[in-house]
């Protein structure tokens, strides 16, 4: 349920209403916009009398939110959320270019790629330290050492880092990580989401292989219900009957998610296509349809990559894609 306040109402009356709702076990989320202030009621509102609230002098109107996701709902928070990652902003017109290898393989590898992608305009560095691999015999990542190398790259370049968590027991290793990624395979690992909800880290939440947008938003809701509202949604392709591409990029997810939610939305054209030559056209399309950012895999030597080489760009190819992405953003005036 949301209540829109009339303009210039006395704060004491608003506080009284909030206190009364709190007594009924309803938490109130206040969203102060430029033109209006929206009170979002979180909890079981079935016994709250809409007419009673609507009758108050300070209230303009009250609406029940029928969608199961509340905190992530745009009705709850009409303005775009801008996530601030140590000064690097994403959302509300701020575009993030996240780049780096699928996995951190060595100190030289990550440092070399970090400098290269930064020079091309990347704003955040990605790299997997804990890798969710289909086969247990494949490279599983450098784990804690991989995070140390990422932190070294952050120190050298100033770029905040993004890396995936697979187990809440590893959280202490992520203390200095700026953005914690929840991969597609863990989108519905609800215990992990609850633990991340207790932190104040920015969470990059990837859409699951076969999950609907509603399910993605409900997973964001799990994190938000714990008090953490720093979430970036990521469309990374879904599984369909198509076999020429690794996944099918659902670009309609971008405008749909932005309509339904105030959270920033980024697109990962690398996992969505699985083929390096498709990354540029898909990145441009994502930029044109309003994505708040892109996450692109870049490797110094894709043929020898320990993970996802076929979809990785060389630093030179990334430089070309970045230039084209900035040109598209300018052309469509986003
Ligand atoms: C990744 O970003 O390297 C990754 C494993 O992505 P996804 O969870 O989308 O497959
Ligand atoms: Mn990958």
């Amino acid at each position: 349920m949301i209540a829109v306040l009339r303009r210039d109402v006395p704060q004491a009356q608003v506080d009284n209403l909030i206190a009364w709702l709190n007594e009924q076990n309803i938490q109130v989320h206040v969203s102060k916009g430029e033109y209006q202030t929206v009170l979002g009621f979180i909890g079981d509102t079935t016994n709250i009398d809409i007419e009673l609230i609507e009758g108050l002098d300070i209230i303009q109107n009250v609406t029940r939110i029928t969608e199961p996701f509340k905190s992530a709902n745009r009705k709850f928070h009409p303005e775009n959320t801008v996530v601030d990652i140590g000064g690097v902003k994403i959302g509300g017109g701020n575009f993030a270019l996240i780049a780096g290898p699928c996995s951190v393989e060595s100190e030289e590898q990550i440092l070399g790629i970090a400098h290269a992608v930064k020079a091309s305009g990347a704003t955040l560095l990605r790299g997997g330290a804990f890798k969710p691999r289909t086969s247990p015999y494949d490279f599983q990542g450098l784990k804690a050492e991989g995070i140390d190398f990422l932190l070294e790259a952050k120190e050298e370049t100033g770029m905040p880092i993004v890396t995936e968590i697979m187990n809440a027991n590893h959280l202490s290793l992520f203390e200095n990580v700026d953005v914690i990624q929840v991969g597609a395979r863990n989108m519905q690992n609800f215990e992990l989401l609850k633990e991340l909800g207790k932190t104040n880290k920015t969470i990059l939440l990837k859409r699951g292989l076969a999950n609907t947008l509603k399910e993605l938003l409900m997973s964001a809701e799990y994190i938000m219900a714990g008090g953490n509202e720093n979430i970036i949604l990521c469309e990374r392709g879904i599984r369909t009957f198509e076999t020429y591409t690794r996944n099918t990029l659902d670009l309609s997810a971008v405008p749909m998610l932005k309509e339904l939610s105030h959270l920033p939305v980024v697109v990962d054209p690398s996992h969505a296509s699985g083929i390096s030559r498709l990354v540029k056209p898909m990145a441009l399309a994502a930029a044109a349809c309003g994505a708040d950012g892109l996450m692109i895999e870049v490797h110094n030597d894709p043929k020898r990559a320990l993970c996802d080489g076929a979809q990785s760009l060389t630093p030179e190819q990334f430089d070309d894609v970045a230039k084209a992405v900035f040109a598209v953003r300018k052309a469509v005036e986003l």
Side-chain angles (χ1 to χ4, degrees):
M1 191 183 274
I2 57 161
V4 179
L5 293 183
R6 288 191 195 282
R7 298 191 95 173
D8 305 321
V9 292
Q11 188 57 42
Q13 287 188 42
V14 180
D15 292 343
N16 277 345
L17 172 61
I18 295 177
W20 179 76
L21 286 160
N22 289 163
E23 278 166 25
Q24 335 270 317
N25 274 333
I26 308 283
Q27 298 307 309
V28 180
H29 179 284
V30 182
S31 171
K32 274 200 170 76
E34 209 177 318
Y35 304 106
Q36 54 180 203
T37 298
V38 176
L39 303 183
F41 303 169
I42 309 172
D44 182 4
T45 56
T46 41
N47 293 325
I48 301 283
D49 181 353
I50 284 203
E51 281 163 16
L52 184 83
I53 305 220
E54 230 159 16
L56 300 173
D57 293 345
I58 56 171
I59 300 293
Q60 189 173 311
N61 59 60
V62 182
T63 321
R64 274 203 193 276
I65 297 188
T66 46
E67 292 88 356
F69 49 92
K70 312 288 178 195
S71 299
N73 204 308
R74 190 178 277 284
K75 288 178 193 152
F76 227 72
H77 185 296
E79 318 254 314
N80 290 315
T81 283
V82 178
V83 175
D84 190 329
I85 309 149
V88 173
K89 292 190 175 140
I90 170 160
N94 302 285
F95 190 80
L97 195 48
I98 310 167
C102 180
S103 346
V104 178
E105 297 174 8
S106 70
E107 189 179 20
E108 304 97 277
Q109 179 238 22
I110 193 68
L111 292 179
I113 296 173
H115 284 288
V117 297
K118 185 177 182 190
S120 301
T123 49
L124 292 128
L125 176 68
R126 67 148 285 151
F130 291 90
K131 293 304 305 174
R133 303 304 300 274
T134 300
S135 166
Y137 309 116
D138 284 342
F139 176 58
Q140 304 285 307
L142 294 181
K143 308 187 174 82
E145 191 185 29
I147 294 185
D148 289 343
F149 293 156
L150 280 166
L151 290 170
E152 221 176 291
K154 172 183 170 180
E155 177 98 14
E156 278 200 11
T157 62
M159 267 189 294
I161 55 171
V162 183
T163 194
E164 178 167 352
I165 194 165
M166 295 206 292
N167 186 333
N169 292 335
H170 297 156
L171 252 175
S172 59
L173 297 171
F174 287 69
E175 201 176 327
N176 297 313
V177 167
D178 303 279
V179 180
I180 301 182
Q181 174 173 320
V182 174
R185 290 154 192 83
N186 273 311
M187 189 202 89
Q188 288 191 313
N189 181 341
F190 300 118
E191 293 305 315
L192 175 62
L193 301 177
K194 282 187 214 166
E195 288 303 315
L196 296 174
K198 294 180 197 160
T199 74
N200 58 3
K201 293 278 179 200
T202 297
I203 310 298
L204 187 134
L205 179 63
K206 292 187 118 184
R207 181 179 184 181
L209 276 70
N211 285 110
T212 64
L213 298 183
K214 190 189 275 181
E215 287 164 342
L216 172 61
L217 290 168
M218 289 310 292
S219 291
E221 196 72 22
Y222 260 94
I223 302 169
M224 296 178 97
N228 184 358
E229 304 196 339
N230 304 313
I231 300 170
I232 302 165
L233 303 171
C234 179
E235 161 60 33
R236 46 77 74 205
I238 48 173
R239 185 160 285 181
T240 67
F241 45 79
E242 182 49 62
T243 55
Y244 279 113
T245 49
R246 182 175 179 184
N247 290 292
T248 297
L249 178 56
D250 175 13
L251 272 187
S252 63
V254 176
M256 196 71 235
L257 285 171
K258 288 171 73 82
E259 189 178 305
L260 294 166
S261 175
H262 50 88
L263 297 171
V265 180
V266 303
V267 170
D268 169 352
S270 307
H271 291 88
S273 64
I275 301 169
S276 61
R277 66 180 184 282
L278 296 191
V279 170
K280 182 176 179 182
M282 295 300 93
L284 299 185
C289 77
D292 296 296
L294 287 165
M295 178 146 97
I296 297 179
E297 286 189 341
V298 179
H299 195 279
N300 50 313
D301 187 358
K303 283 195 195 68
R304 291 194 180 77
L306 296 181
C307 183
D308 287 351
Q311 67 195 32
S312 298
L313 302 183
T314 61
E316 295 72 31
Q317 289 168 331
F318 175 71
D319 188 64
D320 168 60
V321 173
K323 285 193 174 81
V325 164
F326 296 138
V328 164
R329 278 190 49 82
K330 213 166 161 193
V332 296
E333 287 184 350
L334 286 170

